[in-house]
Amino acid sequence: MMEKYNRRVKAADVTTPQSSQYGFLTGLSPQSTLPNFKQNEFSVVRQHEEFIWLHDSFVENEEYAGYIIPPAPPRPDFDASREKLQKLGEGEGSMTKEEFTKMKQELEAEYLAIFKKTVAMHEVFLCRVAAHPVLRKDLNFHVFLEYNQDLSVRGKNKKEKLEDFFKNVVKSADGVLVAGVKDVDDFFEHEKTFLLEYHNRVKDASAKSDRMIRSHKNAADDINRIASSLYTLGTQDSTDLCKFFLKVSELFEKTRKIEARVAADEDLKLADLLKYYLRESQAAKDLLYRRSRALVDYENANKALDKARAKNRDVLQAETSQQLCCHKFEKISESAKQELIDFKTRRVAAFRKNLVELAELELKHAKGNLQLLQSCLGVLKGNT
Amino acid sequence: MADTVRDPPPDGTDFHELEDGEELFPEPAAAPEESQPASLPAEDISTNSNGPKQDLLFDDDPEDLFAEATEEVSLDSPERDVLLSDGPSPAITPITPPTSVITPRIGHAHDDMFTHSSFDEIEEEEGGDSFDIHISVSDPEKVGDGMNAYMAYKVTTKTSMSLFKQKDFSVKRRFSDFLGLHSKLASKYLHIGYIVPPAPEKSIVGMTKVKVGKEDQSSNEFVEKRRSALERYLMRTVKHPILLKDPDVLQFLESSELPRAVSTQALSSAGLLRMVNKAADAVNKMTIKMNESDAWFEEKQQHFENLDVQLRKLHASVESLVCHRKELSVNTAQFAKSAAMLGNSEDHTALSRALSQLAEVEEKIDQLHQDQANGDFYLFSELLGDYVRLLTAVKGVFEHRMKTWQKWQDSQMLLQKKREAEAKLQFTNKPDKLQQAKDEIKELEGKVQQGERDFEQISKTIRKEVSRFEKERVKDFKTIIVKYLESLVLTQQQLIKYWEAFLPEAKAIS
C-alpha cells in the first residue's frame, strides 16, 4: 500500500522584507495522508536555524549513514540588497525624483525576488526529505512539521562552531586517507573518481555562471541609466531629435526590463541548478566517505579479530565488533548504491528540465527584444 | 564694403567672395526667379522675435546685402524647419550661377532638406558640384623604431568635386599632421565664429605602448580607435563648406609631402604657449560681463550648456555599458570552458553531450557580446564623445563673440575718453596737440566702426553655424542611433539562432 504522501509546502504571506532581518520565517502547510500525522493540513512557522537543526540531526544520525542527506538550504543573504538600498538612500540627492523612485522600486523588487528564491530553496529541502522513503519517517522531521511552537533551537554557539570546525578538519584529513583506499567494488571506485571530479567542476561552473550573470545585470543597469538620460535629452531638445530620443528612451526602458529578466532566469535555471548540484554532490561525497570509513573500520575489525584469535584473547569481543562493522558496512553499501543511482537519475532529470527551460526562456526573451527593436526601428525610420 | 567685413583669415581673394555668396539669403529684388519668398521655409533664427529685428537696427546701409535679407526673413512666419537658401547668389558675388540651375532646385528643396545643409546647396550653385566626397583613413603602419616611431595612416579621398585635382587619391599622414591641420584651421576660423571640428585627443599612454612595440590586443584596439576617430574628424571637417575649400585642407588631402607640424607637440614652446593662453582665456571669460541684447544667443548658450551636461552623462553610461558588455563577453567565455569541462566529467552520455553543446552555444554568445560591445563603442559611445568635444568648440565661438564685443566696447570707451580729452584741449592753446588728438579720434572712430562690424559679423556667422550644427547633429544622431539599433537587432537574431539550435539538444536528454 503506497503511502500517498502529498506534501505541499507553502510559504507564508511574504511580509515586508524588514521582517526577515530577524531570521527567516516561513509557513509550511504540509498535507499528508500518513497515518502518523495527527492532522491532515497544518501550518507552522520556522526559522532558518531550525532547518539547519533538522539537517544536522539527519547528518548526525548513524541510521542515515547510508543515505545522501539532502543538502541544507543556504542561509538567506539579503546583505547585498540591503547595502544597495542603503546606498540608494544616501545618493537620493544626486538623482531626479523619477530616477530615485524607479531605482527604489527595482531594488525592492530585487529584495523580494531574493526572498522568494530563498523560500523556494527551503521548500526544496523539505520536499526532498519528504520524498525519501526513510527520511520522511524521521521523528524530528515530524516534530519540525507539526510542533506549532518555537522549537527553541538555538544556533550553534562559539564552542560548538569551533567543535564543528575541528570535526571538519579531521574529516577532510581522514577523507584524504580514506579516499586513498582503493575499492574492490568497481561501481564504488568509479563513483568515487567521478564524484570527486564532478564536484570540482560543478563548483567552477557555478562560480563562473554567477560572474556571467552579474555582468549581465550590470549591463542591464547601464541600459536603464541610458534610457533615463535619453529621456532627459528628449524633453530638453528643441529639434526633431526630441521625439526621436523619447522613442529610443522608451525602447531601452523595455529592453532593459527584458535583459534583467534574462539575467534573473539564467540565475534561476542555470546558476541555482549548479549551486544545488554542488551541494548535492558534496552530500554524495559525504556518503562515500562514510562508506569508506565503515570499510576501513571493517577491515580494522578484521585485523583485530585475527590478532585476537592469534593471541586467543577477547575473541568474542572482537567477533561481535567485527560482525557489527561488517553489518554496518554492508548496510551502507547497499543503500549507498541505490542512493547514488537515484542521484544520477535526479541529476539528469533536473539538468534536462532546467536546460530546456533555460533555452525556452532565452528564446522567448530574445524574440521579445527583437520585436521591440524592430517595431521601434520601423517607427523611427518611417518618421525620418 | 563687403570685402572688409572681417579680418582677412584665408589666403586668396576667391575665399572672400565665396563667403559672401554663402552668407546670403535670397533677395527678392535681385533674384531673377519668381519664387515666392513666403514659400521658402524660414531660417531658425526667426524663431526668436528679437533676432531679426535687432539686426535691422544695424543694417541700414543700403549696400549691405544683409539688410534686405533679414527683412525678408522676419516677414516669413517663423518655422522650425531649416531654410535652404536655394535662391541665387546676389549680384555682388562674381560667381553668379546660371539661372537654369536655380529653378529645378527649388523643386527638390524639400526632398533635400534632410540630406544637405544650406551651404551644400550653395556649393551646388557655385561649382556645379554636389557634395560628394568620401574620406577614409586606413592601413595604420608603424614607421621607425623606439621612441621616435610613429603610426602612418593612409588617407584616401574619393570625390567627384571639381575642387580636387583627381577623383581618387591617397596620401600618408601621421597623427601630428592631423593636429597641425586642426591647429591651422582653428587659428583661422574659430575667432570669427566658425565651429571648427576638434581633432582627436592625444594619448601619451596609448602611443607609448605602440612605440614600444607591444603587439597586443590593447594597443591594436588603441590604433583602431584612433584610426576611426581620425576618419570621423576628416569627414566632419570636409562637411563644413568653408573648411572644405580651405587650402590647408586641400593640401592635407592631396599633397604627398607635408611639412611636419612640430608645434603640436605637447611639450614644445608652442604647446606651452597654448596652455598659458588657455589659462588666460579662462580668467578673461570670468571677467567679461556682456550686455546681451540678443536673447537668441543667451538661449542658445543655455541650450548648449544643458546639452553638454546631458551628453556627458549619457556618454558615461554608455562607456559603462561597453565595459560591462566586454566583461560579460569574457565571463561568458570562461563559463563556456567550465561548462565544457563539466560536460566531460558528466558520466551520463546524453547529458554530457548536451552540456558540451551548451558550452558551444555560450562560446558563440561570448563572441556576440564582444561584437556588440564594439558596436556600443564605435557607434554610440564615440558619437557622444565626438559631440561632447564639438560642444567645446561651439562654446568657444560664443566666447569669441563675447571677446569681440569686449574689444568693440573697449575701443568705444577709449574713443569716449579721447573725445573728452580733445574737448578739454579745445580750450588750451596747443594746436599741434589738438591736431594729434583729432587724428587719434579719427583713427579710433574707424576702430569702433570696425569693432561693431566685427561683432555683427561674428554674430551672423554664429547664427548660421549654429543652425548648420544643429542640422548636422540631428542627422548624425538619427543616422547613427538607427545603425546602432540595427546592430542590436542583429545580435538578437543571432541569439535566437543559437538557442533554437540548442533547444532540441536539451530536449534530447533522456
Side-chain angles (χ1 to χ4, degrees):
Chain A
M1 27 164 211
M2 284 278 281
E3 280 172 346
K4 200 166 131 216
Y5 201 172
N6 186 8
R7 162 141 282 143
R8 257 197 289 124
V9 171
K10 201 170 67 172
D13 291 325
V14 175
T15 51
T16 58
Q18 275 81 18
S19 69
S20 66
Q21 279 174 0
Y22 304 100
F24 175 73
L25 301 153
T26 184
L28 315 171
S29 317
Q31 293 175 320
S32 114
T33 55
L34 277 182
N36 44 357
F37 275 92
K38 301 184 190 70
Q39 302 162 257
N40 265 355
E41 189 175 318
F42 37 87
S43 61
V44 292
V45 170
R46 289 287 170 248
Q47 291 206 14
H48 173 73
E49 280 72 28
E50 293 166 323
F51 284 78
I52 301 301
W53 165 81
L54 181 62
H55 170 262
D56 289 349
S57 77
F58 290 153
V59 172
E60 287 157 13
N61 190 332
E62 286 280 334
E63 289 294 305
Y64 301 143
Y67 306 121
I68 295 181
I69 310 293
R75 180 169 189 78
D77 177 23
F78 297 102
D79 290 336
S81 273
R82 227 180 296 149
E83 215 180 279
K84 270 204 229 170
L85 207 56
Q86 197 172 20
K87 257 197 241 163
L88 180 66
E90 286 165 9
E92 185 173 352
S94 67
M95 49 182 103
T96 68
K97 189 114 201 313
E98 295 96 27
E99 276 179 357
F100 179 74
T101 0
K102 198 159 67 142
M103 288 203 77
K104 183 156 172 277
Q105 278 174 350
E106 267 155 45
L107 271 180
E108 283 175 352
E110 197 182 293
Y111 209 72
L112 203 66
I114 298 179
F115 194 78
K116 283 197 181 148
K117 202 157 73 137
T118 321
V119 170
M121 292 201 268
H122 284 68
E123 180 176 323
V124 162
F125 168 70
L126 291 177
C127 291
R128 272 273 280 127
V129 175
H132 195 282
V134 175
L135 292 175
R136 65 155 73 123
K137 298 189 197 136
D138 183 87
L139 186 60
N140 284 337
F141 184 48
H142 287 199
V143 167
F144 181 92
L145 289 177
E146 289 186 306
Y147 188 58
N148 54 10
Q149 312 258 339
D150 188 5
L151 288 175
S152 306
V153 164
R154 54 173 177 73
K156 297 195 167 160
N157 63 21
K158 255 195 237 169
K159 176 158 166 278
E160 285 165 342
K161 282 200 183 136
L162 209 57
E163 280 174 5
D164 270 353
F165 173 71
F166 281 120
K167 257 198 252 173
N168 275 332
V169 171
V170 168
K171 185 171 126 193
S172 42
D174 201 21
V176 172
L177 271 152
V178 161
V181 172
K182 181 142 169 54
D183 209 314
V184 284
D185 189 328
D186 280 340
F187 175 81
F188 284 104
E189 188 56 30
H190 166 81
E191 285 297 312
K192 202 161 54 167
T193 2
F194 163 71
L195 271 175
L196 217 61
E197 195 184 60
Y198 188 79
H199 176 79
N200 288 335
R201 293 194 177 173
V202 160
K203 198 192 261 183
D204 188 56
S206 172
K208 302 266 161 71
S209 79
D210 279 346
R211 284 225 290 270
M212 177 175 79
I213 291 166
R214 207 181 12 247
S215 295
H216 221 136
K217 284 205 186 110
N218 287 340
D221 284 341
D222 287 326
I223 299 179
N224 193 15
R225 276 187 282 269
I226 291 173
S228 296
S229 284
L230 281 171
Y231 181 77
T232 318
L233 272 170
T235 51
Q236 277 182 356
D237 210 294
S238 53
T239 65
D240 251 10
L241 281 182
C242 98
K243 269 191 268 172
F244 189 86
F245 281 150
L246 288 175
K247 192 93 190 83
V248 177
S249 162
E250 189 190 323
L251 168 72
F252 281 151
E253 254 309 318
K254 296 195 190 130
T255 59
R256 188 239 1 139
K257 289 209 176 87
I258 294 187
E259 287 299 328
R261 271 247 60 93
V262 170
D265 286 339
E266 283 176 350
D267 196 27
L268 223 60
K269 301 295 170 190
L270 192 57
D272 281 353
L273 173 73
L274 292 169
K275 280 198 199 75
Y276 186 78
Y277 277 93
L278 178 62
R279 295 199 300 274
E280 269 251 25
S281 57
Q282 182 62 49
K285 272 170 73 181
D286 290 344
L287 169 62
L288 280 182
Y289 164 74
R290 288 195 292 271
R291 179 181 169 276
S292 297
R293 179 82 253 158
L295 177 58
V296 167
D297 289 344
Y298 178 34
E299 285 175 351
N300 288 343
N302 272 338
K303 289 197 198 117
L305 181 59
D306 287 343
K307 246 206 304 199
R309 281 191 178 141
K311 290 193 184 153
N312 208 4
R313 241 174 46 178
D314 299 320
V315 173
L316 190 59
Q317 196 181 22
E319 271 180 353
T320 0
S321 153
Q322 189 256 20
Q323 269 180 349
L324 269 170
C325 286
C326 173
H327 177 72
K328 182 167 160 202
F329 172 70
E330 280 171 357
K331 186 167 144 213
I332 291 183
S333 286
E334 193 186 316
S335 58
K337 190 164 192 160
Q338 189 55 49
E339 288 282 299
L340 289 168
I341 292 173
D342 288 345
F343 172 58
K344 181 161 164 174
T345 323
R346 268 203 313 277
R347 182 174 80 244
V348 172
F351 268 78
R352 182 188 191 282
K353 174 169 178 286
N354 279 15
L355 287 177
V356 167
E357 285 174 1
L358 174 72
E360 286 173 345
L361 284 166
E362 294 268 7
L363 268 173
K364 174 174 148 205
H365 294 315
K367 286 184 178 155
N369 248 337
L370 181 66
Q371 201 251 348
L372 281 172
L373 285 164
Q374 281 174 329
S375 86
C376 179
L377 268 171
V379 171
L380 293 178
K381 282 178 167 166
N383 278 344
T384 51
Chain B
M1 179 183 148
D3 299 41
T4 55
V5 158
R6 71 188 66 74
D7 309 328
D11 21 57
T13 47
D14 11 310
F15 211 82
H16 275 277
E17 272 118 22
L18 288 173
E19 289 202 64
D20 286 355
E22 273 142 14
E23 281 158 7
L24 287 175
F25 299 90
E27 270 191 10
E33 52 25 316
E34 270 84 33
S35 62
Q36 321 81 332
S39 68
L40 295 167
E43 167 124 343
D44 207 22
I45 61 170
S46 53
T47 54
N48 189 329
S49 55
N50 277 345
K53 299 215 185 80
Q54 292 289 345
D55 286 352
L56 274 176
L57 292 174
F58 300 140
D59 299 324
D60 42 16
D61 185 340
E63 258 183 37
D64 190 337
L65 333 138
F66 304 139
E68 274 147 302
T70 50
E71 251 176 50
E72 136 104 86
V73 167
S74 62
L75 286 174
D76 289 340
S77 53
E79 283 180 40
R80 309 210 116 228
D81 295 334
V82 184
L83 166 80
L84 284 179
S85 41
D86 48 359
S89 357
I92 288 185
T93 180
I95 305 172
T96 333
T99 36
S100 57
V101 178
I102 302 158
T103 12
R105 270 190 314 111
I106 294 168
H108 20 96
H110 269 274
D111 295 340
D112 290 346
M113 204 179 291
F114 292 108
T115 52
H116 299 295
S117 68
S118 55
F119 290 116
D120 300 327
E121 294 290 45
I122 296 162
E123 270 288 41
E124 279 190 54
E125 277 175 44
E126 263 132 25
D129 277 336
S130 60
F131 178 72
D132 166 34
I133 173 171
H134 184 75
I135 302 184
S136 60
V137 174
S138 60
D139 305 325
E141 219 174 62
K142 186 165 163 204
V143 176
D145 261 320
M147 286 316 282
N148 288 327
Y150 63 90
M151 273 301 193
Y153 301 88
K154 182 163 153 199
V155 177
T156 310
T157 314
K158 288 194 171 73
T159 176
S160 62
M161 294 174 79
S162 53
L163 202 56
F164 297 93
K165 305 192 188 94
Q166 295 170 283
K167 283 205 185 311
D168 186 347
F169 50 93
S170 56
V171 292
K172 283 253 177 214
R173 295 284 177 255
R174 54 185 289 188
F175 186 65
S176 55
D177 293 335
F178 289 81
L179 294 181
L181 174 66
H182 172 257
S183 157
K184 286 193 202 136
L185 293 176
S187 66
K188 283 195 264 188
Y189 298 105
L190 266 183
H191 68 276
I192 48 170
Y194 288 97
I195 302 173
V196 176
E201 280 162 356
K202 287 199 241 215
S203 161
I204 298 183
V205 175
M207 252 342 265
T208 315
K209 271 205 229 165
V210 173
K211 285 190 212 258
V212 164
K214 274 186 87 176
E215 271 288 326
D216 66 347
Q217 173 136 24
S218 74
S219 57
N220 285 341
E221 271 178 23
F222 170 77
V223 171
E224 174 52 30
K225 248 173 86 166
R226 179 162 274 194
R227 182 210 65 79
S228 170
L230 291 173
E231 193 173 282
R232 292 193 311 269
Y233 164 66
L234 284 180
M235 279 306 287
R236 259 189 243 277
T237 305
V238 298
K239 275 204 189 120
H240 194 302
I242 307 266
L243 297 179
L244 171 61
K245 300 212 183 86
D246 184 285
D248 283 320
V249 171
L250 297 175
Q251 185 190 38
F252 181 89
L253 292 174
E254 288 183 314
S255 80
S256 47
E257 287 295 317
L258 210 62
R260 258 289 309 270
V262 184
S263 65
T264 58
Q265 284 164 347
L267 298 177
S268 68
S269 54
L272 289 171
L273 189 62
R274 260 200 301 278
M275 283 200 282
V276 169
N277 281 338
K278 261 198 189 153
D281 280 349
V283 172
N284 278 338
K285 189 165 77 155
M286 294 193 284
T287 56
I288 295 181
K289 278 273 190 263
M290 179 165 155
N291 259 344
E292 187 57 80
S293 51
D294 191 343
W296 182 91
F297 284 92
E298 216 170 288
E299 181 196 307
K300 283 298 171 192
Q301 258 180 302
Q302 189 58 52
H303 160 71
F304 286 125
E305 201 61 48
N306 295 343
L307 189 61
D308 186 44
V309 168
Q310 287 308 316
L311 282 182
R312 276 176 204 269
K313 205 161 139 202
L314 182 58
H315 188 216
S317 302
V318 176
E319 282 189 317
S320 176
L321 176 64
V322 172
C323 184
H324 286 138
R325 197 94 78 176
K326 284 203 173 125
E327 247 175 52
L328 176 59
S329 164
V330 166
N331 289 340
T332 308
Q334 286 192 332
F335 173 70
K337 288 202 191 84
S338 189
M341 298 282 277
L342 185 64
N344 277 344
S345 64
E346 172 58 65
D347 63 353
H348 185 271
T349 351
L351 179 54
S352 167
R353 191 173 52 235
L355 284 171
S356 306
Q357 301 284 27
L358 179 68
E360 268 179 44
V361 167
E362 294 287 356
E363 208 180 301
K364 291 195 197 123
I365 291 179
D366 104 67
Q367 189 54 50
L368 211 58
H369 286 310
Q370 178 66 34
D371 293 340
Q372 185 57 66
N374 283 336
D376 293 343
F377 179 74
Y378 284 104
L379 287 172
F380 206 1
S381 177
E382 289 283 75
L383 168 71
L384 294 169
D386 284 349
Y387 269 88
V388 165
R389 283 188 289 275
L390 269 168
L391 280 177
T392 18
V394 172
K395 287 201 253 185
V397 298
F398 277 93
E399 280 161 32
H400 277 295
R401 176 174 172 268
M402 289 212 291
K403 278 200 236 168
T404 313
W405 181 85
Q406 189 66 53
K407 208 166 136 194
W408 174 30
Q409 295 302 310
D410 287 346
S411 359
Q412 222 165 26
M413 284 203 295
L414 195 58
L415 177 64
Q416 183 73 10
K417 272 202 220 141
K418 290 281 179 191
R419 282 198 174 133
E420 285 169 10
E422 191 229 10
K424 286 198 196 134
L425 277 178
Q426 293 274 9
F427 298 112
T428 65
N429 197 10
K430 296 196 182 134
D432 40 333
K433 276 240 164 89
L434 193 59
Q435 187 54 42
Q436 186 188 25
K438 283 206 202 291
D439 289 336
E440 282 176 352
I441 287 176
K442 195 96 191 166
E443 200 186 315
L444 272 175
E445 280 175 348
K447 267 215 179 113
V448 167
Q449 281 187 328
Q450 182 61 47
E452 189 177 342
R453 276 196 298 269
D454 286 345
F455 180 71
E456 283 167 49
Q457 188 53 52
I458 195 178
S459 300
K460 278 199 177 60
T461 308
I462 291 182
R463 278 174 189 273
K464 274 183 295 210
E465 281 288 283
V466 164
S467 129
R468 188 189 63 90
F469 175 81
E470 289 287 81
K471 253 202 293 193
E472 277 294 312
R473 178 169 76 92
V474 170
K475 196 162 64 127
D476 270 352
F477 270 80
K478 282 188 179 175
T479 328
I480 294 180
I481 290 186
V482 163
K483 257 207 206 135
Y484 176 64
L485 294 181
E486 285 173 343
S487 81
L488 292 176
V489 164
L490 275 168
T491 304
Q492 294 303 314
Q493 285 173 329
Q494 280 299 99
L495 271 176
I496 291 175
K497 249 181 41 197
Y498 295 150
W499 287 110
E500 274 179 347
F502 176 71
L503 188 56
E505 293 291 340
K507 287 189 171 158
I509 304 172
S510 56

